[in-house]
Amino acid sequence: MTKVLILLGVVGGLASARADERFDAANADFEAGRFGAAAQAYEQLLADGPRAAVLQNLGSAYFRQEDYGRAILAFERALLLDPGNPDLEANLKLARDEAAVFPVASGDGWNRFLAKLSRQQWSVLALGCAFALPLAAGAWVVFRKRRRVGVGAAACGIPAVGLLVLSLHALDAREGEEERAIVVAAPATVRISPFATADERASLANGREVKLGRLENGYFWITMDGGGTEGWVTAGEVGRVIPRAGDPGASR
Amino acid sequence: MYWKLFACLLICLGALRAAEVTAELSTDRVEAGQGALLALKIEGGSPEAHPQIPAVKGLIVNSRGQSQQMQIVNGKVSRSISYNYAVGSHEPGEYEVPSITVRVAGQDLKTPPMKLTVVPSASGAPAGMGQDDEQAAEVEDDRYGFLTFQPVIKDRKHVYPGEIAPVRIKAYFPAGASVQLNGTPRPEGSAFTLHNLTKEPDQSSEVLNGKRYLVVTWYGGLSATKAGSYPASFSLEGTVAVRDRSAKRHRSPFDDPFFGGSMMEDFFAPMVQKDVTLTTPDPDSVEVRELPAEGRPEDFSGAIGHFEFESVQVPSSLQTGEPCRIEARVKGGGNFALLKEPHPQPAGDWKVYDGSGDFMAGDAASFSGSKVFRYNAVPLVPGEREVKLAFSYFDPEAGEYRTVESAPSKVVIAGEATVPPAAAAAKEPAVPQSEGPQLAPLATDPGKIASYEPWSDRAWFYPAISGFAALAVALAGMGVWIRREEDVEKAARLAGDAAIRRALSTADQAALAGDGAGFFTAAREALRIRVAEQSGIKPEAVTLADLRQVDDEDVVGILKEADRVDYSGTAGDAGDLHAWKESLHRGLENLTKAVRAA
């Protein structure tokens, strides 16, 4: 058993060292101005699994190629993994400015408060509070003879219930986030039906954010500006911010 | 959770009035290159999404717009939404338009499949689909009315993407025509979008070239979506019924010069009804220019128009590091949605937090108005200062960016200077920067592989939450049960008190009845219960020896007398029993006090 663990550790260490080497090589390409090669190398690294740092550099590489849609997408994804990172937020703002994408301030104060934490952070908070509940109840039972401990356990349980409800509400309020997508084509053509000969309805500028609907015939149903623009775009013209395995041809 | 409530509401509404979807082809046979009109009509509900025509190889589907109709007949309101498509093909053959699924109030409604036969074009060469029809319609449309578009921007032939230009759209219909509009004007093509169109258009009467028209006027904001030069044209669909004067001349019985051109002519002329699409004739091209990159202020957020401060409220006394509430009202005209809150200057002396912005429209098209911004800001530098707020916007008339500053507000900021991280970083030696915008430095450590998928998307998440919650409820319930179980002493004490009360009652009744034996039996029982409570044993297990150990004169006396009655078989008289009863109550009271004290 110990040998297996050691072997796994060695394999893991080698893989990590290999990833470091590839990352350094990609960074060297970037520093040398070979942004296309750097972006390709970062994409290959991401095939192993998403990393915030790789996505940040990938976004920068696309930015330098003036592919602002893919840059915005990469920075958005990096922020999912590392919410609140000031470098990522600054890069995202820069990319949006360059793409002339000015997001309208969304929601009221309550929704902005709910957006302070990522969905993963709300999930952790919800699970932590849920875990604390049986602990508090157990302490109340076990230490029933000691009044102070019992009252203390109940005092911990009540805010845990409140935070649990808040977290679940936040997760529910942000239920639609997995439908967010960024236009990576320049521009994307919106059609009235999901096939190439269908009439064009509008064109979407590179970097614009859309909401994805169902997938049909290799086309996504999209809505934008709260329903002001809607129609079908090919899956390759948009990239889902939270990638989904079932998206064919979409930018991953 | 809200969508479930919404779905229930929709289902209830659907139950009240079932929705219907019908699809109809204007003809089942068209020439190649021509199109049949496919009308998809939804009555009694609204589709949850734009209906989609399934793809059919070789079949071309062009949208011909969407319309809404509302009719009030005898007080009963009926509403329908129609989606129109031109359907055809360049290839002759038999086509089937498959069943179209429309989701209304959570229910999938389907239309039956339809057959369309495309025959070879009579001219031999396929024409552009629908072009002939459209050209013919254009000639005929003037008879049924026309559409005009007048931008409020008169001196300018160009706009910018994102800019909202107020426009007035007028639909002219012949006076006396019966008009049913299927929706509102909409821009043709994808270069422009129309915002905030007035829901209740104005109606008036105008005379143009000696002809009287019924005029319907809408106000809205036109916005360009992309740079280039595009014709700004609009279309409006409706059904118009007009008098056919040419037909009258053959049929009117009043074929007399006296009645010529009179009201009677119109009266007897037959009505001709037609579904028409009014368009703006010969629309002017509008140049859409890119926003200049040069001179773009850092705080430019996409606002285009004319804006100025109306009022600013900044507290006069502040403390460094302490947030204060700032309120600014900006008035003007333009795309207020992209106007961000004005920030105090210099920006490095303040830390500003996101706030709220409430827009109040000043006109029907929501082009002009005022927006009130409220946000928190933290002063970082102390001193007496004149604080100005500033914001930037793009002036489309001048074609340049502008930064507006408010009138200075005198503010006293107490406390010590707080250095913000950005300012601290600025003091460090400058690092040579590459060309182009300043991105954050490259990350040098690839970090660990993470997951986009939050725990809440994992299958185990909600069962785990539910499991923990259920466990907590179970533990709490168990705690309540244990606490009740553990309070058996109190329960036993209450039961003992009740038994003593019953024994005393029996003794009192026996005393009144002169039943000495009964009295002493009940009295000994009451004393035995109380002693058992003190000893922690069952009353039946209490022996005479235990009772005699009680150091109370009344109790001992009663026990002795009870023994005597038992052994001698004689009982005292009623007078004696009354005295014994008082002695029993007194002794029991003393015994209870002793037990409680113990």
Side-chain angles (χ1 to χ4, degrees):
Chain A
M1 184 65 184
T2 310
K3 287 179 182 174
V4 172
L5 288 176
I6 290 171
L7 186 64
L8 286 175
V10 169
V11 170
L14 285 173
S16 175
R18 174 107 179 90
D20 285 351
E21 283 174 18
R22 288 155 63 199
F23 188 63
D24 290 342
N27 281 357
D29 280 338
F30 186 101
E31 297 292 358
R34 298 187 292 273
F35 302 119
Q40 200 175 359
Y42 292 132
E43 293 276 18
Q44 285 170 357
L45 263 172
L46 289 171
D48 299 338
R51 302 169 195 249
V54 179
L55 283 163
Q56 178 185 339
N57 292 3
L58 174 66
S60 298
Y62 281 133
F63 184 93
R64 290 290 180 221
Q65 296 177 82
E66 298 184 355
D67 189 347
Y68 300 119
R70 284 192 168 79
I72 290 170
L73 182 63
F75 293 138
E76 289 268 18
R77 286 176 173 174
L79 274 168
L80 285 177
L81 305 179
D82 188 7
N85 182 319
D87 283 352
L88 290 171
E89 286 178 342
N91 281 0
L92 179 61
K93 183 180 183 307
L94 202 60
R96 280 178 172 161
D97 286 351
E98 288 299 316
V101 175
F102 302 106
V104 177
S106 59
D108 52 14
W110 176 245
N111 281 322
R112 282 199 295 275
F113 166 73
L114 296 181
K116 293 280 183 195
L117 297 184
S118 69
R119 290 173 71 215
Q120 173 62 9
Q121 287 168 326
W122 282 118
S123 301
V124 172
L125 184 61
L127 201 66
C129 290
F131 183 69
L133 285 180
L135 290 181
W140 182 65
V141 174
V142 172
F143 300 104
R144 61 189 176 279
K145 302 287 186 190
R146 297 165 67 181
R147 187 175 170 78
R148 283 187 180 179
V149 178
V151 171
C156 290
I158 291 166
V161 169
L163 280 174
L164 175 62
V165 171
L166 176 68
S167 308
L168 293 176
H169 172 70
L171 288 169
D172 185 61
R174 296 173 64 176
E175 193 62 28
E177 279 196 356
E178 60 266 33
E179 310 304 344
R180 289 177 63 217
I182 305 296
V183 174
V184 295
T189 304
V190 183
R191 298 184 185 278
I192 63 163
S193 283
F195 45 93
T197 52
D199 215 7
E200 291 183 16
R201 177 175 285 171
S203 68
L204 302 179
N206 186 251
R208 292 295 297 269
E209 182 174 326
V210 297
K211 186 180 171 190
L212 296 186
R214 68 181 189 277
L215 177 70
E216 199 172 304
N217 199 24
Y219 282 75
F220 275 117
W221 172 256
I222 62 103
T223 52
M224 201 178 77
D225 297 335
T229 303
E230 53 185 16
W232 295 92
V233 297
T234 57
E237 290 180 309
V238 291
R240 200 190 285 272
V241 175
I242 304 174
R244 188 178 289 177
D247 292 349
S251 181
R252 299 285 307 279
Chain B
M1 61 186 86
Y2 304 121
W3 70 268
K4 288 178 183 170
L5 289 173
F6 185 63
C8 290
L9 185 64
L10 284 178
I11 289 166
C12 293
L13 289 173
L16 289 173
R17 181 182 169 81
E20 283 182 18
V21 177
T22 55
E24 191 180 6
L25 277 172
S26 59
T27 174
D28 59 357
R29 177 179 288 265
V30 292
E31 289 185 8
Q34 300 293 316
L37 186 69
L38 168 62
L40 181 65
K41 193 172 184 182
I42 299 145
E43 291 178 287
S46 298
E48 293 176 10
H50 198 288
Q52 299 307 315
I53 312 297
V56 177
K57 190 177 179 184
L59 198 66
I60 299 171
V61 179
N62 288 342
S63 174
R64 283 294 180 267
Q66 167 189 346
S67 61
Q68 292 192 33
Q69 292 171 316
M70 188 172 74
Q71 288 185 328
I72 304 174
V73 179
N74 295 331
K76 187 181 176 186
V77 181
S78 62
R79 192 188 297 269
S80 68
I81 301 172
S82 294
Y83 295 88
N84 299 317
Y85 305 88
V87 185
S89 177
H90 291 301
E91 300 296 328
E94 294 284 339
Y95 294 90
E96 183 180 271
V97 180
S99 175
I100 303 165
T101 304
V102 183
R103 193 165 180 80
V104 182
Q107 190 182 4
D108 284 332
L109 304 176
K110 293 188 175 183
T111 64
M114 290 164 286
K115 299 274 187 192
L116 180 67
T117 304
V118 179
V119 297
S121 170
S123 61
M129 197 179 82
Q131 283 178 356
D132 291 350
D133 287 348
E134 287 175 1
Q135 284 166 1
E138 279 174 14
V139 173
E140 207 175 354
D141 269 353
D142 287 347
R143 182 180 167 194
Y144 295 93
F146 57 94
L147 207 59
T148 65
F149 148 65
Q150 292 146 318
V152 176
I153 309 164
K154 289 176 179 170
D155 303 328
R156 190 149 58 91
K157 285 289 182 186
H158 65 268
V159 294
Y160 295 89
E163 176 186 1
I164 290 184
V167 292
R168 182 173 54 229
I169 300 165
K170 286 184 171 182
Y172 288 79
F173 300 99
S178 172
V179 180
Q180 185 180 26
L181 296 180
N182 301 335
T184 55
R186 57 190 177 84
E188 295 196 304
S190 59
F192 297 97
T193 55
L194 204 51
H195 302 266
N196 303 321
L197 201 66
T198 44
K199 290 178 181 167
E200 300 290 338
D202 296 337
Q203 292 189 29
S204 60
S205 179
E206 284 184 25
V207 176
L208 275 181
N209 300 325
K211 192 176 175 185
R212 181 164 291 281
Y213 288 92
L214 165 69
V215 183
V216 185
T217 308
W218 290 266
Y219 295 91
L222 186 69
S223 179
T225 58
K226 52 191 176 185
S229 185
Y230 308 99
S233 63
F234 296 85
S235 63
L236 174 67
E237 293 175 348
T239 304
V240 182
V242 296
R243 297 275 176 195
D244 185 0
R245 291 193 178 87
S246 61
K248 183 272 318 172
R249 290 196 181 95
H250 303 292
R251 296 173 192 165
S252 170
F254 299 93
D255 197 9
D256 187 294
F258 183 76
F259 293 101
S262 72
M263 183 179 67
M264 296 306 284
E265 266 190 14
D266 279 351
F267 184 80
F268 284 100
M271 291 294 283
V272 179
Q273 180 174 305
K274 188 172 172 27
D275 293 334
V276 294
T277 301
L278 303 185
T279 54
T280 42
D282 304 322
D284 291 335
S285 280
V286 175
E287 183 189 357
V288 185
R289 293 182 183 172
E290 287 283 10
L291 285 171
E294 188 181 347
R296 185 185 294 173
E298 279 190 12
D299 64 342
F300 176 64
S301 58
I304 304 173
H306 300 276
F307 306 97
E308 61 179 308
F309 280 103
E310 190 173 2
S311 65
V312 168
Q313 288 180 26
V314 182
S316 56
S317 177
L318 301 172
Q319 176 81 30
T320 55
E322 295 292 328
C324 66
R325 191 76 165 161
I326 292 180
E327 183 176 310
R329 184 185 291 269
V330 176
K331 66 178 181 179
N335 54 351
F336 270 97
L338 294 179
L339 186 66
K340 294 288 176 63
E341 60 264 20
H343 286 177
Q345 302 296 317
D349 291 355
W350 297 79
K351 180 172 174 54
V352 178
Y353 294 91
D354 287 343
S356 64
D358 299 320
F359 175 65
M360 283 160 289
D363 57 32
S366 298
F367 174 74
S368 65
S370 63
K371 193 170 183 180
V372 181
F373 297 96
R374 296 180 185 88
Y375 60 93
N376 288 331
V378 178
L380 304 172
V381 180
E384 288 188 16
R385 354 190 43 174
E386 289 193 334
V387 175
K388 294 177 182 175
L389 305 188
F391 67 92
S392 296
Y393 68 92
F394 184 76
D395 183 346
E397 298 293 343
E400 59 187 29
Y401 296 96
R402 296 192 187 282
T403 298
V404 185
E405 289 189 342
S406 67
S409 304
K410 285 193 174 178
V411 172
V412 178
I413 304 171
E416 295 180 357
T418 307
V419 181
K427 289 177 183 173
E428 291 176 1
V431 178
Q433 301 291 345
S434 59
E435 291 178 4
Q438 300 306 309
L439 284 165
L442 285 183
T444 52
D445 180 3
K448 292 181 179 174
I449 292 176
S451 172
Y452 294 119
E453 193 182 21
W455 286 354
S456 59
D457 285 356
R458 307 280 173 91
W460 53 261
F461 181 75
Y462 286 103
I465 296 272
S466 306
F468 285 132
L471 184 61
V473 170
L475 284 170
M478 193 174 78
V480 170
W481 181 75
I482 288 174
R483 281 165 193 254
R484 281 191 181 174
E485 284 294 307
E486 285 180 344
D487 219 8
V488 288
E489 290 178 3
K490 187 180 177 184
R493 194 165 60 245
L494 292 173
D497 287 345
I500 288 170
R501 277 197 300 276
R502 283 196 299 274
L504 278 178
S505 175
T506 306
D508 290 349
Q509 285 173 3
L512 280 173
D515 178 6
F519 171 81
F520 285 108
T521 303
R524 187 162 50 199
E525 180 64 20
L527 293 171
R528 188 179 269 175
I529 291 168
R530 187 56 84 210
V531 171
E533 189 181 322
Q534 184 183 23
S535 309
I537 56 176
K538 289 185 176 179
E540 298 80 15
V542 176
T543 61
L544 285 175
D546 294 327
L547 291 171
R548 286 192 179 112
Q549 284 177 4
V550 178
D551 183 19
D552 185 275
E553 188 180 333
D554 291 315
V555 173
V556 172
I558 288 170
L559 291 175
K560 283 182 179 175
E561 186 62 15
D563 285 352
R564 191 189 66 77
V565 169
D566 273 354
Y567 295 130
S568 66
T570 59
D573 57 22
D576 290 333
L577 286 179
H578 182 71
W580 282 118
K581 191 180 89 173
E582 287 182 355
S583 178
L584 170 63
H585 282 272
R586 202 167 44 244
L588 201 57
E589 190 177 340
N590 293 336
L591 193 54
T592 303
K593 282 179 183 174
V595 169
R596 296 282 187 267

CSV table of all heavy atoms in Angstrom, one decimal, chain B residues 45-68:
chain,number,residue,atom,x,y,z
B,45,GLY,N,-52.8,32.7,-24.7
B,45,GLY,CA,-51.6,32.6,-23.9
B,45,GLY,C,-50.4,33.2,-24.7
B,45,GLY,O,-50.6,33.5,-25.9
B,46,SER,N,-49.3,33.3,-24.0
B,46,SER,CA,-48.1,33.8,-24.6
B,46,SER,C,-47.1,32.7,-24.6
B,46,SER,O,-46.9,32.0,-23.6
B,46,SER,CB,-47.5,35.0,-23.8
B,46,SER,OG,-48.5,36.0,-23.8
B,47,PRO,N,-46.4,32.5,-25.7
B,47,PRO,CA,-45.3,31.5,-25.8
B,47,PRO,C,-44.2,31.9,-24.8
B,47,PRO,O,-43.9,33.0,-24.6
B,47,PRO,CB,-44.9,31.5,-27.2
B,47,PRO,CG,-45.2,32.9,-27.7
B,47,PRO,CD,-46.4,33.3,-27.0
B,48,GLU,N,-43.6,30.8,-24.2
B,48,GLU,CA,-42.5,31.1,-23.3
B,48,GLU,C,-41.2,31.5,-24.1
B,48,GLU,O,-40.3,32.1,-23.5
B,48,GLU,CB,-42.2,29.8,-22.4
B,48,GLU,CG,-43.4,29.6,-21.5
B,48,GLU,CD,-43.2,28.3,-20.7
B,48,GLU,OE1,-42.1,27.7,-20.7
B,48,GLU,OE2,-44.2,27.9,-20.0
B,49,ALA,N,-41.1,31.1,-25.3
B,49,ALA,CA,-40.0,31.4,-26.1
B,49,ALA,C,-40.5,31.6,-27.6
B,49,ALA,O,-41.6,31.2,-27.9
B,49,ALA,CB,-38.9,30.4,-26.1
B,50,HIS,N,-39.7,32.3,-28.4
B,50,HIS,CA,-40.0,32.5,-29.8
B,50,HIS,C,-40.2,31.1,-30.4
B,50,HIS,O,-39.3,30.3,-30.3
B,50,HIS,CB,-38.9,33.2,-30.4
B,50,HIS,CG,-39.3,33.9,-31.7
B,50,HIS,ND1,-39.5,33.2,-32.8
B,50,HIS,CD2,-39.5,35.2,-32.0
B,50,HIS,CE1,-39.9,34.0,-33.8
B,50,HIS,NE2,-39.9,35.2,-33.4
B,51,PRO,N,-41.3,30.8,-31.1
B,51,PRO,CA,-41.5,29.5,-31.7
B,51,PRO,C,-40.5,29.3,-32.8
B,51,PRO,O,-40.1,30.2,-33.4
B,51,PRO,CB,-42.9,29.6,-32.3
B,51,PRO,CG,-43.6,30.8,-31.7
B,51,PRO,CD,-42.5,31.7,-31.3
B,52,GLN,N,-40.1,28.1,-32.9
B,52,GLN,CA,-39.1,27.7,-33.9
B,52,GLN,C,-39.7,26.8,-34.9
B,52,GLN,O,-40.4,25.8,-34.6
B,52,GLN,CB,-37.9,27.0,-33.2
B,52,GLN,CG,-37.2,27.9,-32.1
B,52,GLN,CD,-36.8,29.2,-32.7
B,52,GLN,OE1,-36.3,29.3,-33.8
B,52,GLN,NE2,-37.1,30.3,-32.0
B,53,ILE,N,-39.3,27.1,-36.2
B,53,ILE,CA,-39.8,26.2,-37.3
B,53,ILE,C,-38.6,25.2,-37.4
B,53,ILE,O,-37.5,25.6,-37.7
B,53,ILE,CB,-39.9,27.0,-38.6
B,53,ILE,CG1,-40.7,28.3,-38.3
B,53,ILE,CG2,-40.5,26.2,-39.7
B,53,ILE,CD1,-42.1,28.0,-37.9
B,54,PRO,N,-39.0,23.9,-37.3
B,54,PRO,CA,-37.9,22.9,-37.4
B,54,PRO,C,-37.3,23.0,-38.8
B,54,PRO,O,-37.9,23.3,-39.8
B,54,PRO,CB,-38.7,21.6,-37.2
B,54,PRO,CG,-39.9,22.0,-36.5
B,54,PRO,CD,-40.3,23.3,-37.0
B,55,ALA,N,-36.0,22.6,-38.8
B,55,ALA,CA,-35.2,22.7,-40.1
B,55,ALA,C,-35.7,21.6,-41.0
B,55,ALA,O,-35.9,20.5,-40.6
B,55,ALA,CB,-33.8,22.6,-39.8
B,56,VAL,N,-35.8,21.9,-42.2
B,56,VAL,CA,-36.2,21.0,-43.3
B,56,VAL,C,-35.2,21.2,-44.4
B,56,VAL,O,-35.0,22.4,-44.9
B,56,VAL,CB,-37.6,21.1,-43.8
B,56,VAL,CG1,-37.9,20.2,-44.9
B,56,VAL,CG2,-38.6,20.9,-42.7
B,57,LYS,N,-34.5,20.2,-44.9
B,57,LYS,CA,-33.5,20.3,-45.9
B,57,LYS,C,-34.1,20.9,-47.2
B,57,LYS,O,-35.1,20.4,-47.7
B,57,LYS,CB,-32.9,19.0,-46.2
B,57,LYS,CG,-31.6,19.1,-47.1
B,57,LYS,CD,-31.0,17.8,-47.3
B,57,LYS,CE,-29.8,17.9,-48.2
B,57,LYS,NZ,-29.2,16.6,-48.5
B,58,GLY,N,-33.5,22.0,-47.6
B,58,GLY,CA,-34.0,22.6,-48.9
B,58,GLY,C,-35.0,23.7,-48.7
B,58,GLY,O,-35.3,24.5,-49.6
B,59,LEU,N,-35.7,23.7,-47.5
B,59,LEU,CA,-36.8,24.6,-47.3
B,59,LEU,C,-36.2,25.9,-46.7
B,59,LEU,O,-35.4,25.8,-45.8
B,59,LEU,CB,-37.8,24.0,-46.3
B,59,LEU,CG,-39.2,24.6,-46.3
B,59,LEU,CD1,-39.9,24.4,-47.7
B,59,LEU,CD2,-40.0,24.0,-45.2
B,60,ILE,N,-36.6,27.0,-47.2
B,60,ILE,CA,-36.1,28.3,-46.7
B,60,ILE,C,-37.2,29.0,-45.9
B,60,ILE,O,-38.4,29.0,-46.4
B,60,ILE,CB,-35.7,29.2,-47.8
B,60,ILE,CG1,-34.5,28.5,-48.6
B,60,ILE,CG2,-35.2,30.6,-47.3
B,60,ILE,CD1,-34.2,29.2,-49.9
B,61,VAL,N,-36.9,29.4,-44.7
B,61,VAL,CA,-37.9,30.1,-43.9
B,61,VAL,C,-37.4,31.5,-43.6
B,61,VAL,O,-36.4,31.7,-43.0
B,61,VAL,CB,-38.1,29.3,-42.6
B,61,VAL,CG1,-39.2,30.0,-41.7
B,61,VAL,CG2,-38.6,27.9,-42.9
B,62,ASN,N,-38.2,32.5,-44.0
B,62,ASN,CA,-37.8,33.9,-43.6
B,62,ASN,C,-38.9,34.4,-42.7
B,62,ASN,O,-40.1,34.3,-43.0
B,62,ASN,CB,-37.8,34.7,-44.9
B,62,ASN,CG,-36.5,34.4,-45.7
B,62,ASN,OD1,-35.6,33.8,-45.2
B,62,ASN,ND2,-36.6,34.8,-47.0
B,63,SER,N,-38.5,35.1,-41.7
B,63,SER,CA,-39.4,35.7,-40.8
B,63,SER,C,-40.1,36.9,-41.4
B,63,SER,O,-39.5,37.7,-42.1
B,63,SER,CB,-38.7,36.1,-39.5
B,63,SER,OG,-39.6,36.8,-38.7
B,64,ARG,N,-41.4,37.0,-41.2
B,64,ARG,CA,-42.1,38.1,-41.7
B,64,ARG,C,-42.8,38.9,-40.5
B,64,ARG,O,-43.8,39.5,-40.6
B,64,ARG,CB,-43.2,37.7,-42.7
B,64,ARG,CG,-42.6,37.3,-44.0
B,64,ARG,CD,-42.1,38.6,-44.7
B,64,ARG,NE,-41.6,38.4,-46.0
B,64,ARG,CZ,-40.3,38.1,-46.2
B,64,ARG,NH1,-39.4,38.1,-45.2
B,64,ARG,NH2,-39.8,37.9,-47.5
B,65,GLY,N,-42.2,38.7,-39.3
B,65,GLY,CA,-42.6,39.5,-38.2
B,65,GLY,C,-43.6,38.8,-37.3
B,65,GLY,O,-44.0,37.7,-37.5
B,66,GLN,N,-43.8,39.6,-36.3
B,66,GLN,CA,-44.7,39.1,-35.2
B,66,GLN,C,-45.7,40.1,-34.9
B,66,GLN,O,-45.4,41.3,-35.1
B,66,GLN,CB,-43.8,38.9,-33.9
B,66,GLN,CG,-44.5,38.7,-32.7
B,66,GLN,CD,-43.5,38.7,-31.5
B,66,GLN,OE1,-42.3,38.6,-31.7
B,66,GLN,NE2,-44.1,38.8,-30.3
B,67,SER,N,-46.9,39.7,-34.6
B,67,SER,CA,-47.9,40.7,-34.3
B,67,SER,C,-48.8,40.2,-33.1
B,67,SER,O,-48.9,39.0,-32.9
B,67,SER,CB,-48.8,40.9,-35.5
B,67,SER,OG,-49.4,39.7,-35.9
B,68,GLN,N,-49.4,41.2,-32.5
B,68,GLN,CA,-50.3,40.9,-31.4
B,68,GLN,C,-51.6,41.5,-31.7
B,68,GLN,O,-51.7,42.6,-32.2
B,68,GLN,CB,-49.8,41.5,-30.1
B,68,GLN,CG,-48.5,40.8,-29.6
B,68,GLN,CD,-48.2,41.2,-28.2
B,68,GLN,OE1,-49.0,41.4,-27.4
B,68,GLN,NE2,-46.9,41.2,-27.9
